[in-house]
Amino acid sequence: MAPRGRSARLPARPALDLGACEQFLLHEARLLDDGKFDDWLKLFTPEAWYWVPSEPDQTDPIETVSLIYDDRRLLETRVRRLASPRMYSQEPRSRTSRIVGNVSLEESGKDACTVRSKFVMVEYRREQQRLFAGTAIHRLAQTGGRIMIAWKRVNLVNCDAPLDGITIPF
């Protein structure tokens, strides 16, 4: 019961803070390393997009060729292909290990924020190891008490180098 003269208020939902965002990014990396791509896909909002530019400082995914530019529907297709036993480019399956660090909030509001982080991903497959590194920028939104990815941009250090097929998300 509210004290006299004051209206009852619901507790304010906490804004997205650095600690919560960093834990979310670590959770995302673990899902990817564990090959739980369906669970990873559930982190994205219905309107989400995922972009890996092919040039440093690329500003437009439409007017310039990108390494990856997927809306939610294409992300679903990518995850479905990763689950297929007939995907030759993943026979045998890649094993990966990601390190996420230098997480910072670039912009923060009550229900959304933009988070920048550095990452290193090692991919091992067919007795070969590849190393990817770069900056990830996530737009995170808090909906229904959950943190979700509204969009994700991955700036690879060597985005303009010749790269063999990229099948595993960063």
Side-chain angles (χ1 to χ4, degrees):
M1 187 173 238
R4 223 184 266 183
R6 295 186 185 186
S7 61
R9 292 186 182 163
L10 295 173
R13 187 168 62 205
L16 292 168
D17 64 5
L18 180 60
C21 293
E22 185 171 27
Q23 288 303 307
F24 179 85
L25 297 183
L26 295 175
H27 173 67
E28 179 196 16
R30 176 174 276 179
L31 290 175
L32 289 168
D33 283 344
D34 291 346
K36 295 181 179 178
F37 301 114
D38 286 323
D39 291 338
W40 175 70
L41 182 62
K42 291 175 188 172
L43 298 179
F44 287 84
T45 65
E47 302 82 24
W49 51 265
Y50 172 74
W51 181 27
V52 183
S54 63
E55 300 175 0
D57 304 318
Q58 186 174 335
T59 59
D60 188 338
I62 307 296
E63 297 296 321
T64 308
V65 173
S66 297
L67 296 173
I68 298 171
Y69 181 60
D70 291 350
D71 62 9
R72 175 59 191 245
R73 199 175 85 208
L74 286 173
L75 272 175
E76 291 169 2
T77 301
R78 181 177 299 279
V79 167
R80 225 178 12 257
R81 284 193 348 241
L82 283 167
S84 170
R86 295 185 305 262
M87 186 176 188
Y88 175 76
S89 63
Q90 278 298 293
E91 184 55 43
R93 298 280 175 187
S94 293
R95 296 191 311 246
T96 60
S97 181
R98 289 167 177 77
I99 297 171
V100 177
N102 296 1
V103 179
S104 63
L105 285 176
E106 299 294 303
E107 180 270 324
S108 184
K110 182 178 178 188
D111 293 323
C113 65
T114 304
V115 183
R116 178 181 299 267
S117 63
K118 298 296 184 176
F119 75 93
V120 175
M121 181 184 97
V122 177
E123 178 186 27
Y124 179 76
R125 188 175 155 273
R126 291 192 179 159
E127 299 181 22
Q128 292 186 350
Q129 186 166 288
R130 297 196 297 175
L131 180 68
F132 297 95
T135 301
I137 305 167
H138 289 74
R139 180 67 178 175
L140 302 179
Q142 192 168 26
T143 58
R146 292 183 56 209
I147 298 175
M148 299 187 76
I149 301 169
W151 54 260
K152 180 177 179 179
R153 176 182 172 143
V154 177
N155 297 321
L156 294 175
V157 170
N158 62 335
C159 63
D160 52 350
L163 296 167
D164 286 339
I166 297 172
T167 56
I168 301 294
F170 299 102

